[in-house]
Amino acid sequence: MADNIHINLPDGSDKEFPKGSTALDVAKSISPRLADAAIVAKARPLKSQDQAGEGARPTQVQSDKSVRPTQAESNGDLIDLTRPLEKDTDLRILTEKDPEALGVYRHSSAHLLAAAVLELFPETKLGHGPATESGFFYDFYRETPFTPEDLEKIEKKMQELVQQNLPYAREFLPRDEGLQRFKSEGDFMKCHFIEQFTRPDEKISIYKTGKFLDFCRGPHIPSTGKIKAFKLLNIAGAYWLGDEKNPQLQRIYGTSFFSKKDLDNYLHQIEEAKKRDHRVLGKQLDLFSIQELAGPGLIFWHPKGGIIRKEMEDWMRDQYIKRGYSLVYTPHVMRKQLWQTSGHEGYYAQNMFDVMELDDAEYRLKPMNCPGHILIYKDSLKSYRDLPVRLGEMGTVYRYERSGVMHGLLRVRGFTQDDAHIFCTPEQIEKEIADCLEFARDTLKDFGFDQFITELSTWNPADGANFVGSEEQWNLATSSLEKVLKRLNTEYKTIPGEGAFYGPKIDIKLVDAIGRLWQLSTVQFDFNLPARFNLEYVAEDGTRKQPVMVHRALYGSIERFFGVLIEHYAGAFPVWLSPVQVVLIPIAERHVEYANKVAAMLRGENPRPRSLDSARDFGSGLGRPLNASTWTGHPCGHDSVRVEGDARNEKMNAKIREHAMQKVPFMLVVGDKEVEAGKVNVRTRGKEKTEDMGADEFGEKVRKLIAEKNPTL
């Protein structure tokens, strides 16, 4: 019938409905339970018979590969359950089991927050309120600051609005009418959004929730009664449009989940995250600092943090050599002309520090290492026999970040990347990408991470201004990455529009000890820079050809990776990473000599004695001054252990408590009994009971833990 439309469902069935039916009508026709569980729908218009070029019905079009939609086309759009369907449609009803539904649920939670705020504080002006990865927020302009007590009142009002089961009702208004309505209320931010994101002849989308009206494209859940579990978390400041010259807004953060259990788990995770905050632990453990006089986003590595950084860099450089990389070093500052050639000046300038005008040219601090590696590659003509060329560097880069968005080690202005670039032939590209992914997983596993999520980020053809290269290049590059992921049996999620401006990329996100995701390792395909720099190699047939380039960073940055390590381990690093691996504590002054000799043995400063039956077997005159109240052992070889001693005239329990707070893996207490027997009393981090052990036996144990890079202790 002409007034009917075809609805294709995920099970492959095709049903007819009157034109103007809604997704909710479709859900009800399937089962009342589905209609009750429905959150939102996902719809994609089916091609008509004329569009398909076939005299076929829509269901038959789907079986013809020649007219199947591309991946970008097949994703469809999220729509309200109450939106009328006017065309033949491929339709999915989403419930709380579908990950995409949670984002809509949280967006609606943000509207619920705004509705509650306006009922309690009607003078408030509205900004925007999106869903985030972990919840939602809404920006408000109000001269009087919100207080923690206000948050409690707002949350209570939100509960009342949930009980009222108010619909999220959509309507369309002429643009001028909508502008006038918001102007009359003094909502200058809503007026800005309408003027910025709509055309003069366009009708604008408005959602109404109780007394609250919002300019919003949606979609939303059917009603407030669907929101089962939410919590307001905190208040922060945010400048309107991110500009310090504009009014400061108040941003209320919250989160919501489909069940109270999930909410409680998340709130527990937040509390656990506070205990693991790397900024707090960094100060407590004396690992790093950010100095106000020097400026925000610039990290000062203290001696203990410096030891961990050395371990990280040594591990990575050793792996470079084992895996066929060449180590290089490039300058921190280079001419602006280089960044113009690379395209960073056009596509990345907003993230770069201002130009420095010198007597010979304009210079920029480098935001990336890749152009420097390209110049090294280009310095001599390569043959196909020389490829692949793998160049790796611990390269420090500088990127401009607004002062309000920086966060400890995780978002900074100056940082060091374990950056590598691979130049290879098209035939070698898939193997090189596969090797990079294997390298990434080995890196994360050696540092104690065993859960990962992989994402493939591609381009958005509709946003060509922010990407370089042709559609054919992007499709070929994306296809290469997909083939590798499939060959490695790697589950992955495709993220359209999130690729680098020069090519698609694979991101590996690790899962930490309390279930949080962290973006660190990345492998990126680049067909842009080899063309911009006219890179060449001599092919087997004697012709000049352009190599393919891969960008690869596995720590992401040393600073960010270090921050994640601190929080993952809550500062209790594995022995091999711990800045102090062992503390020796003599009970009395007469035990200092023995403790000092044990420390020397652990540091490898003298050959291990044949027998440790008594203190005399250590020999004499070894190690540091015997009467020192504290002493520190620095590594002097691969078999050495980082040892400190504590012979202060303090109570034993106080010293043990202090070193426990510093999360030292092992404390060795020595007294008359240990001196006589050539043993040590071992107190292991995280264990209540101590253990008597021969000094040489303990030395073998700790060296084995260090050599194996055991992540459990």
Side-chain angles (χ1 to χ4, degrees), residues 448-478:
F449 302 103
D450 54 14
Q451 293 184 60
F452 322 108
I453 290 176
T454 304
E455 294 178 349
L456 172 61
S457 297
T458 62
W459 77 324
N460 178 5
D463 189 21
N466 290 314
F467 298 94
V468 297
S470 67
E471 184 172 357
E472 181 183 8
Q473 288 175 312
W474 277 90
N475 289 341
L476 285 172
T478 302

Side-chain angles (χ1 to χ4, degrees), residues 368-502:
M368 296 185 183
N369 296 300
C370 34
H373 292 187
I374 287 171
L375 294 182
I376 292 175
Y377 174 90
K378 195 175 180 181
D379 197 55
S380 63
L381 181 63
K382 306 293 189 294
S383 162
Y384 71 94
R385 295 187 182 89
D386 300 319
L387 303 186
V389 171
R390 306 183 188 100
L391 303 179
E393 175 180 14
M394 296 294 167
T396 301
V397 298
Y398 305 88
R399 298 179 188 174
Y400 174 68
E401 296 279 5
R402 291 183 179 275
S403 57
V405 302
M406 286 175 287
H407 182 78
L409 292 165
L410 304 179
R411 193 161 180 178
V412 294
R413 285 176 172 167
F415 54 94
T416 301
Q417 291 185 300
D418 62 302
D419 217 352
H421 297 90
I422 301 167
F423 305 87
C424 61
T425 68
E427 294 76 22
Q428 295 168 331
I429 186 64
E430 290 184 19
K431 180 182 184 305
E432 292 302 314
I433 292 170
D435 288 348
C436 286
L437 293 178
E438 180 184 347
F439 192 175
R441 288 170 182 166
D442 289 346
T443 301
L444 298 178
K445 286 179 179 177
D446 267 21
F447 282 88
F449 302 103
D450 54 14
Q451 293 184 60
F452 322 108
I453 290 176
T454 304
E455 294 178 349
L456 172 61
S457 297
T458 62
W459 77 324
N460 178 5
D463 189 21
N466 290 314
F467 298 94
V468 297
S470 67
E471 184 172 357
E472 181 183 8
Q473 288 175 312
W474 277 90
N475 289 341
L476 285 172
T478 302
S479 174
S480 295
L481 298 183
E482 287 176 331
K483 286 179 183 176
V484 172
L485 290 169
K486 289 173 182 175
R487 194 170 81 232
L488 297 176
N489 294 319
T490 301
E491 291 186 12
Y492 66 94
K493 180 181 179 182
T494 301
I495 313 292
E498 291 298 318
F501 73 83
Y502 45 72

